[in-house]
Amino acid sequence: MTAAEHDPTPLRLLVVDADRRVRSSLAGLLALAEHVEVVGSAGHARAAVDACEAERPDAVVIDPRLPELPEGIAFVRGLRADHPEVRVVVVAWSSSLALLLGDDPGIVLVAADGGDLADRIVDALRPPGDAAGGPRPDPDARLAPTA
């Protein structure tokens, strides 16, 4: 029995991406996952801040190009400073994002390419030791592996 089966409370996610189609598609795919509830979405940093305040998600899934990378990086840093309890999954097109984001254990990078992105995001948020859905990514790794 998994930790998620012990706790029926869904993981509350906020999806942030500048492209409306990507944001909608990713939110739809994540909503299909067991024990996941997508509580909102946003297309830019100000809307993301407002949604975080209103919805209090457990985690935020973000492509930090909002539409420019500095805005997204500033949002991630500000979110972690203001809400350290909120985990952040950064959809990364490059492992060099780890250098820009620093060494924050509340931030997980998931490679944008390869495999089912929604499944890899959910896997990255799974508690250590939860074997549902296969092996858990190394919590010390900054860039979650692709499938």
Side-chain angles (χ1 to χ4, degrees):
M1 187 166 282
T2 68
E5 289 171 331
H6 289 294
D7 182 6
T9 304
L11 179 67
R12 297 169 44 83
L13 298 181
L14 174 70
V15 177
V16 182
D17 194 292
D19 186 314
R20 178 189 51 78
R21 293 168 296 186
V22 172
R23 185 172 64 246
S24 177
S25 295
L26 186 55
L29 289 170
L30 288 167
L32 295 174
E34 288 186 41
H35 308 293
V36 171
E37 176 185 5
V38 177
V39 296
S41 66
H44 56 85
R46 181 70 250 164
V49 169
D50 292 345
C52 281
E53 293 296 325
E55 299 298 336
R56 300 289 187 193
D58 299 312
V60 173
V61 178
I62 181 172
D63 178 341
R65 300 171 290 180
L66 290 178
E68 300 296 325
L69 183 60
E71 180 184 1
I73 298 298
F75 167 75
V76 170
R77 287 181 178 154
L79 175 65
R80 291 292 300 150
D82 294 344
H83 301 283
E85 73 283 2
V86 176
R87 298 211 38 218
V88 179
V89 176
V90 175
V91 177
W93 62 96
S94 167
S95 60
S96 65
L97 272 176
L99 298 173
L100 295 172
L101 291 167
D103 189 27
D104 182 335
I107 300 173
V108 177
L109 274 64
V110 175
D113 59 342
D116 185 334
L117 181 59
D119 285 345
R120 288 185 287 117
I121 289 169
V122 172
D123 286 346
L125 290 168
R126 185 172 291 121
D130 184 351
R136 168 81 170 96
D138 180 352
D140 295 324
R142 293 292 292 149
L143 183 62
T146 59

